[in-house]
Amino acid sequence: MNNIAVVYWSGTGNTKSMAQAVAKGSGGTLFTADSFGLDNMARFDAIAFGCPSMGSEQLEDSEFEPMFEAVKSALQGKKIALFGSYGWGDGEWMRNWEADCLASGATLVCDSVICNDAPDDDALAACEKLGEALK
């Protein structure tokens, strides 16, 4: 079994609920963005990153994005998965984030999971499957 981290930022609790479902599916360890960094990367075989869309469809910029930028150099060859919620737009932030991860050499193990506002049962089930894909 892989050692899996589930790293997230949540402002309203929507992405936190998704992260908990990912952790349930993966058996992974939950981290908030402010408690994870480059020093953690080598400990994990796979990582799920969760962040909602903010502003004009971008990652949260005070905690999550600085952490993600700091660990991006260690994504080469790493198995990752992405998830998050949004309140407007069409998911452009996720498509941009996926492209950024692929350009950094990460391996996306499954389709990303996004949901509009609070995750419903289908979104939470998709998050569990995302977690299982990291094993």
Side-chain angles (χ1 to χ4, degrees), residues 60-80:
E60 189 278 329
D61 64 358
S62 66
E63 291 180 20
F64 191 89
E65 189 173 34
M67 175 279 303
F68 190 75
E69 288 299 318
V71 303
K72 202 158 60 167
S73 65
L75 290 179
Q76 178 73 39
K78 191 73 74 172
K79 289 179 14 179
I80 68 166

Side-chain angles (χ1 to χ4, degrees), residues 24-135:
K24 180 179 176 185
S26 68
T29 304
L30 277 172
F31 292 90
T32 55
D34 63 352
S35 66
F36 193 84
L38 191 56
D39 55 327
N40 300 105
M41 291 294 286
R43 291 180 30 215
F44 296 98
D45 302 311
I47 303 170
F49 290 104
C51 186
S53 172
M54 305 292 286
S56 59
E57 292 216 53
Q58 61 193 44
L59 298 175
E60 189 278 329
D61 64 358
S62 66
E63 291 180 20
F64 191 89
E65 189 173 34
M67 175 279 303
F68 190 75
E69 288 299 318
V71 303
K72 202 158 60 167
S73 65
L75 290 179
Q76 178 73 39
K78 191 73 74 172
K79 289 179 14 179
I80 68 166
L82 306 176
F83 63 95
S85 65
Y86 64 101
W88 57 88
D90 69 353
E92 178 184 2
W93 106 99
M94 185 60 74
R95 293 189 299 276
N96 292 340
W97 192 13
E98 289 168 344
D100 192 24
C101 290
L102 292 171
S104 297
T107 301
L108 292 172
V109 299
C110 62
D111 289 340
S112 300
V113 175
I114 62 174
C115 70
N116 194 341
D117 295 322
D120 60 13
D121 290 344
D122 289 343
L124 293 174
C127 286
E128 281 191 45
K129 286 188 174 160
L130 181 146
E132 290 169 5
L134 288 167
K135 291 181 179 181

